[in-house]
Amino acid sequence: MAINLNPFGFRKWPVTIVVSAIYIAIITLGLYVHHIVPSAPKESSSSLPDGVSLNQAWIDLQQLSRQHHPYNSHNNDEVRDWILHRVNDTLRNNTVVSQQIASLESDSLFQNIGEDAKAIVFDDLSSNATYSATNPISVYFESTNIIVLLRGSGDSTTGAGRHRSHSHPKQDTREQGCTLVNAHYDSVSTGFGVTDDGVGVVTLLQLLAHYTTPGNQPQRCLVLLFNNGEEDYLNGARVFSQHPVSSRVSAFLNLEGAGAGGRATMFRSTDAEVAKAYKSSPFPFGNALSADGFRQGLVRSQTDYVVFNKNLGFRGVDVAFMEPRSRYHTISDSTRETSIDSVWHMLSAALATTKAMIEHEPYGPEPTTGSEPVYFDLFGRALGMLNLQMLFGISIAVLVIGPAILLLIGALLARQDKFYILAGKSFSDPLDPHTPDEPVAIDIQGRRGIFRTLITFILSIAAVVGLALLQSKVNPFIVYSSPYAIWSMIISAFIVVSWFCLSAADGTRPTAFQRLYALFWLYGFSWLLLVFCVFVEARFKICGAYISLFLNAASFLALTMSLLELFNLPRKKDYIYSASQTDSGITSHTPNPPSSRPLSSHNPPHDDSEATESSPLLGHSATAHLRLTSVSRTPFSRVFKSNDQSQENHSGIDEQPWSRHLLSLWPLQVLAFAIPIILTTQLGLFMTSALSQTLGDGSSPLTLYLAISILCTLLLLPTTPFIHRIDGRVPFFLFLILVGTLIYNLTAFIFSRENRLKVYFQERVSVDDPETNVVALTALEGYVQQIARSIPGANTTLNCSFPGMGVIKGLTTCHYATSLLPQPLPQYSNTSVVPSDWMKFTAHRLHPNNSDDDNTATLRLSGRNTRACKLHFDTPVTDFNVTGQSKQDSRFVKVPEDGLQELRLWSRDWDREWEVQIAWRDLSASSSKSSTYTSSPDQLNLSTTLTTRNSTRKGNGTSDRKQSLKGQAICLWSDANDPATIPALEELRHYMPIWSVVTKAGDGLVEGWRDFEIM
């Protein structure tokens, strides 16, 4: 007996080794790239650009993150002073002629800047902005931004290219547009702000050091924006719009953080042209799926990117850290949770992207239609990119050309009488002298196994979807801490089900076309998927669906190879002739027709010529029937062509006799799927990291589990043409993994010290009744109750809202009364300060001349040791004006269409008194239209023409326009660096379970409030 040692035969071990090796290699490499950050170069390395010092960057990061520094904290002022000091030190050390300007109220003041000044530092303490952040909220905000303008070597003496009009922000080509690099220096009140956004800030400092080193002056102007107030409705970026430098920007790079370490990813980009600047990064990392996540609302937080793009019309790139999200906005966002490698990953990307943007011709104000970028990294070393319009066009071409080529190949096969697919019974020709006188029915059996793959697809997909549904019902949040346990369970389930179905079918009714029919159904599925993806690309601008194009292309190539294999078959006429000689196609030697070679031969008593996969180890019986299969075909003529003439199957049914003539191109077919496997693996890893811990923010678990199921299906569908040849020990091992992970996923506790559940904290105190002191905790239903009950005394007053009814959608809020009164005025800690002294508020109605409308009032509000207050109105306010506000910018909506019910006030000064004039609707009328008010920078224009209302004053029939207004005046305190300031917060931190961590619920950790009514 000759043992078949052909490594390319379509047999058990070659297929098992090749397929397993490809998947294991790709998944292992994907995990490595995803979790291991490239090492930073040594300080003395020549690879570091001029002026860049990683040691200094790390020291700066430690200094910046010593304490929490939200906008509404004194430590925020210290950070600001430190940044100014570092900027001026860098300019001085690099001997750069610079000029510092405290305020800049008009563009004409650029003329007063010295022509020899290469760097201008704007200490912006004059800009303010008024806008509607979201319905029904409006904001008044005062700037404390720091703006550094570096003049380009090719710029005019004004240093910044053309001015762009605020009223027409998208009509100027800006021939010398500046590149803006932005990072915010404020942190949240519950975090140290290392990756959010300390790494961005130290990156800006290193960019400053690099571009002010002699010989490195940028070609065009570069703006470095250290903005303050991002964490509270992106206020710093919005108020930057009021500074004249903003009119000189054409492209931007925004640096952000939504995790704690790891790699910095390209979150999104406005268009493919500007995104190409990021391609030059030495370690590009990102996926268009993240942009889709923001666009579809799956990621609820936002960055300054939306202001620069949507409000200011800039084109640019958003680069940010993204994982682990459980550490985002918590005390875990610290230097001990990140590394200098992560700093270098963002810094190297910023250096390369900024350089590319500066050297590019100034970007026009509007990208072309369909220019949304479709991008993906290739193992963190290169970035593949095309635009959405190109993806759409290629997809349409593939949808049309692919079927046309397959039909052409089918027609050629039919023309050569080699189209065995779907062939059934055929009859020999009785008039042929070489065939029996009576017609002999020959069953070609080309239809055998045509539907088994389709059935397997349905059962395998049903299995993974069923597991997703089960998981979302029984233990829905386990993916938060154990995402790879979910992936292992679903992958194992898919492989076990598909292997069982297809190997069982192959064992009972083997067919030479199992691989071909599997590829046929795979191509059909991928073709329909691509049609669907083309629709969503056109309709919803979804860029992450590019994987469907690569899967369809790979399926097309593999199916084409299987069809080409058929050209090596004999003509069906010749096969029927040969088979008819033996009555049923069994052992008989007769003369051959002149047009063919022998299709069968006598079986020798002991045929030990070449064993195949299922040949008996002790050889064949001398009386064995001729059984021909395709399972040991070998590549290339003698390698790809099979000489096996004996194949036994224990079921007693064998592959079709003609199959011995088939070539076996299966290794090339497996390799054809390598690219979609790589892309799907990276897409799955990226999606899991980006979304698995958003469940703690209220996202739907079922959506995530279904997304994992879909990607798992796309990842493993390429195995179906080959899986029936996988050794059974592989699926048995995976079955054990399935059982283990299923038990774990359904029973394990979700959270841990490494993957903590975030609980949102806020305390509200009535300044008129300090006994009304309530703490609100918001987190996942069931877990927030456990956290609240861990606090001494909370059980007696605990009141939890229904799921989904809390301050954050998808989460539950629990309230409890506390006797621990905040101490927001530490400077008065030795004196008796009662809550009524925390804030002052007055309101009086205005009575304009020549107007019978009384729904206007002036409100005065101030808080001690704070620079943030807000007004809440029970009745929608139609207009307002804050004394001192600048002229309204037409790019921003001031008041929501349906009126505002909350006005947030932010001052750069402490203990500021705000004077606000408001006008509100008359709701006493049964049918009315909203009043329209216009405002000047200083006061409301009360000479307003109001629409006539169909209401009369009860009793005398005169018009009744006077409407009372109720609401709350609220001031905020956010500085918790001193534990004594908010004792309820410290109590929570002390007693809460180790698997939970506190984060802020709103702009203020403490809100002091007072009811008011304007009669």
Side-chain angles (χ1 to χ4, degrees), residues 471 475 477-478 481-482 741-751 783:
Q471 193 67 58
N475 197 13
F477 304 112
I478 188 64
S481 58
S482 305
T741 53
L742 179 61
I743 294 173
Y744 173 82
N745 291 334
L746 295 180
T747 61
F749 185 73
I750 300 165
F751 306 106
Y783 298 95

Side-chain angles (χ1 to χ4, degrees), residues 612-626:
T612 62
E613 173 197 349
S614 51
S615 298
L617 294 176
L618 299 179
H620 291 274
S621 167
T623 59
H625 296 306
L626 175 63

